[in-house]
Amino acid sequence: TKPLYINDCVKKIHFDELNAGGDEGLKLWEAVKGFCSVFSRVKRRRLIRKHFLAFDTLNTGKITRFQFVDTIKEVAAEFFLDFDYKIREVIG
């Protein structure tokens, strides 16, 4: 049998965390937690709200998925945030 290395164990743990064991609800929960932790600071929240309001010209309170993803990309680039693309895929 193949010897077990720590690197292999860490990769398996990360894979299990990202895929949440196939549970879509858990995967979404983890993605929302990651999103909230990245955008929890006041300046980041204000900027993301400003971008959302710029897309919502009819004041419906709704934006499209593409507008959401574009906003996240712009805010993450402006603040040099390390926002995991896998989280963005799950939420967006």
Side-chain angles (χ1 to χ4, degrees):
T1 62
K2 182 182 170 187
L4 199 59
Y5 294 105
I6 291 179
N7 202 15
D8 295 333
C9 293
V10 170
K11 284 181 184 177
K12 184 182 181 323
I13 290 170
H14 285 279
F15 180 78
D16 290 342
E17 285 179 359
L18 290 175
N19 291 322
D23 184 8
E24 293 297 320
L26 183 60
K27 188 188 288 186
L28 182 61
W29 176 257
E30 293 296 326
V32 169
K33 278 183 13 183
F35 175 81
C36 290
S37 69
V38 170
F39 293 101
S40 63
R41 301 218 175 154
V42 176
K43 289 184 180 181
R44 295 175 189 170
R45 274 191 304 224
R46 284 184 188 154
L47 190 62
I48 202 166
R49 183 175 185 276
K50 178 179 145 188
H51 281 280
F52 285 160
L53 290 175
F55 282 125
D56 185 23
T57 56
L58 299 175
N59 292 327
T60 61
K62 298 177 182 178
I63 59 172
T64 66
R65 176 177 292 193
F66 300 110
Q67 292 169 336
F68 175 80
V69 172
D70 286 344
T71 298
I72 299 303
K73 286 179 183 177
E74 288 176 14
V75 174
E78 185 168 334
F79 284 105
F80 304 105
L81 300 176
D82 186 23
F83 190 62
D84 192 8
Y85 71 93
K86 292 177 185 172
I87 293 174
R88 192 182 319 144
E89 286 178 2
V90 171
I91 292 178

